[in-house]
């Protein structure tokens, strides 16, 4: 359960941190369906499934682990699902691929009930834990710089400076300047206010617009995609998807563990080499992966964007609860 009085925090700070995390990671509810739709998954199905998996995993993290860490379908795993799994191994369909995700989720769930995942947190050396934390920030920064055009691909040295006069690049630099000024002045929620200011400027300059309205009802045109464990296991065996299941399991295992350690260290929640309530925290993504596969989305993971909420002051499950509600 959420232990707000136990931490040096307050409700306003936690909710603001949740808003910050949400707006930093909310891109996934659009990007994930776009990627999965390339594999034939209906956009509406993947959109709703992404939201359901995120709500389930993040609620679990909030209520049972009391950590400010959000869970959602992982980037990279969705691309592997859409471009490497579907269509391969004899032209398997996305329904069969979701069976592999479901089986991986169940195995992940069983593995999370054992001491192995908790032991991983204890045996990872301090140098790697600090490296993961730094890597989280660098990865977020690199994605932002690439998507806004400040950097771009280069055939020889891979990365080159983009067009700094482009509207998206100028908008990013202005928003970054606003955020840095607020951070230097010690304003709580500086990242969130910086994003709001950037959004307002983008809307005023015509870079942000709404083509199909703002609100609509969710839908699941395919219903439950993978709900029968026996059928899912049968699909994996008949199509020899053992390597696929192993890949989902292995990547999610280390991705989530590493991200969780990095965010927990940033928040000051680690107790030496151990993470309190590690089992409850590690169960969040395995439960979300299993539920998400049933509705039609790729494996979930702890989100590195949770570090932005921690930077805004999030220290408890109330931050994650805010993300889940949103």
């Amino acid at each position: 359960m959420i232990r707000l009085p136990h931490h040096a925090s307050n409700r306003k700070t936690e909710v603001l941190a949740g808003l910050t995390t949400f707006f930093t990671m909310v891109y996934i509810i659009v990007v994930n369906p776009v990627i999965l739709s390339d594999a034939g998954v209906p956009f509406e199905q993947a959109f709703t499934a992404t939201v359901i998996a995120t709500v389930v995993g993040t609620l679990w993290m909030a209520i049972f682990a009391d950590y400010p860490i959000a869970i959602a379908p992982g980037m990279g795993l969705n691309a592997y699902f859409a471009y490497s799994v579907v269509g391969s191994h004899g032209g398997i369909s996305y329904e069969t691929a979701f069976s592999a995700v479901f089986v991986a989720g169940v195995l992940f769930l069983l593995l999370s009930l054992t001491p192995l995942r908790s032991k991983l947190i204890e045996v990872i050396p301090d140098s790697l834990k600090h490296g993961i934390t730094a890597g989280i920030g660098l990865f977020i920064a690199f994605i932002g710089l690439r998507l806004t055009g400040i950097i771009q691909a280069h055939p020889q040295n891979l990365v080159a400076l983009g067009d700094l006069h482009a509207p998206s690049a100028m908008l990013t630099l202005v928003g970054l300047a606003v955020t840095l000024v607020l951070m230097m002045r010690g304003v709580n929620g500086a990242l969130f206010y910086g994003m709001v200011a950037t959004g307002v400027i983008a809307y005023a300059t015509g870079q942000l617009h709404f083509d199909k309205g703002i609100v609509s009802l969710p839908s699941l045109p395919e219903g439950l995609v993978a709900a029968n464990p026996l059928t899912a296991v049968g699909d994996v065996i008949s199509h020899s998807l053992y390597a696929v299941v192993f890949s989902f399991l292995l990547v999610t295992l280390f991705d989530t563990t590493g991200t969780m350690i990095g965010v927990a260290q940033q928040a000051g929640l680690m107790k030496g080499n151990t993470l309190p309530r590690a089992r409850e925290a590690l169960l969040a993504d395995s439960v979300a992966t299993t539920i998400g596969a049933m509705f039609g989305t790729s494996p979930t993971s702890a989100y590195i964007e949770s570090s932005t909420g921690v930077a805004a002051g999030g220290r408890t499950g109330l931050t994650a609860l805010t993300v889940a509600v949103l």
Side-chain angles (χ1 to χ4, degrees):
M1 61 184 298
I2 298 173
R3 304 170 178 85
L4 189 58
H6 178 70
H7 298 272
S9 185
N10 58 73
R11 288 182 175 83
K12 180 181 178 181
T13 300
E14 295 289 331
V15 171
L16 187 60
L19 284 166
T20 303
T21 298
F22 173 76
F23 281 112
T24 307
M25 66 177 285
V26 71
Y27 69 87
I28 193 61
I29 67 172
V30 174
V31 174
N32 195 49
V34 167
I35 292 175
L36 295 182
S37 63
D38 287 344
V41 184
F43 183 92
E44 296 82 1
Q45 180 81 21
F47 183 93
T48 306
T50 300
V51 174
I52 291 173
T54 303
V55 170
V56 169
T58 308
L59 267 181
W60 185 287
M61 184 69 72
I63 295 172
F64 295 105
D66 190 26
Y67 285 136
I69 301 173
I71 302 292
M75 290 293 293
L77 289 169
N78 49 11
Y80 174 65
F81 176 96
Y83 307 125
S84 297
V85 179
V86 176
S88 63
H89 300 84
I92 67 171
S93 64
Y94 69 81
E95 292 93 346
T96 302
F98 279 129
S99 292
V101 177
F102 182 80
V103 171
V106 172
L107 293 175
F108 202 17
L109 184 61
L110 296 174
L111 186 62
S112 298
L113 293 173
T114 70
L116 176 60
R117 289 196 68 185
S118 299
K119 290 296 182 183
L120 277 176
I121 296 177
E122 299 177 16
V123 300
I124 293 177
D126 289 338
S127 58
L128 185 55
K129 290 176 182 176
H130 293 303
I132 290 170
T133 306
I136 287 171
L138 290 172
F139 184 58
I140 293 175
F142 185 82
I143 291 175
L145 292 171
R146 181 180 63 83
L147 292 179
T148 54
I150 295 177
I151 61 174
Q152 59 187 12
H154 190 276
Q156 274 75 43
N157 61 352
L158 301 182
V159 179
L161 192 65
D163 181 9
L164 298 184
H165 295 286
S168 61
M170 294 179 67
L171 175 66
T172 304
L173 294 174
V174 171
L176 182 61
V178 171
T179 303
L180 290 176
V181 169
L182 293 175
M183 291 182 69
M184 291 299 294
R185 295 182 64 86
V187 176
N188 288 329
L191 289 170
F192 173 68
Y193 292 130
M195 286 187 286
V196 170
T198 305
V200 171
I201 296 171
Y203 186 77
T205 56
Q207 297 183 62
L208 175 64
H209 49 84
F210 304 95
D211 294 329
K212 298 182 179 180
I214 299 175
V215 178
S216 65
L217 292 174
S219 63
L220 285 167
E222 301 294 320
L224 291 178
V225 180
N228 190 325
L230 295 179
T231 302
V233 172
D235 287 341
V236 170
I237 294 174
S238 62
H239 291 86
S240 300
L241 298 178
Y242 310 113
V244 173
V245 171
F246 180 75
S247 297
F248 283 140
L249 191 63
L250 191 66
V251 173
T252 308
L253 173 65
F254 287 98
D255 184 21
T256 297
T257 303
T259 301
M260 210 168 287
I261 290 174
V263 176
Q265 278 194 323
Q266 181 187 357
L269 300 174
M270 295 288 290
K271 304 297 182 183
N273 288 329
T274 62
L275 179 67
R277 304 179 302 283
R279 177 174 295 182
E280 292 83 351
L282 295 169
L283 277 170
D285 61 329
S286 54
V287 170
T289 293
T290 306
I291 299 296
M294 294 173 62
F295 287 96
T297 189
S298 49
T300 60
S301 177
Y303 251 52
I304 57 176
E305 285 81 359
S306 302
S307 61
T308 62
V310 169
R315 294 295 182 273
T316 75
L318 184 56
T319 295
L321 179 63
T322 302
V323 175
V325 171
L326 290 171

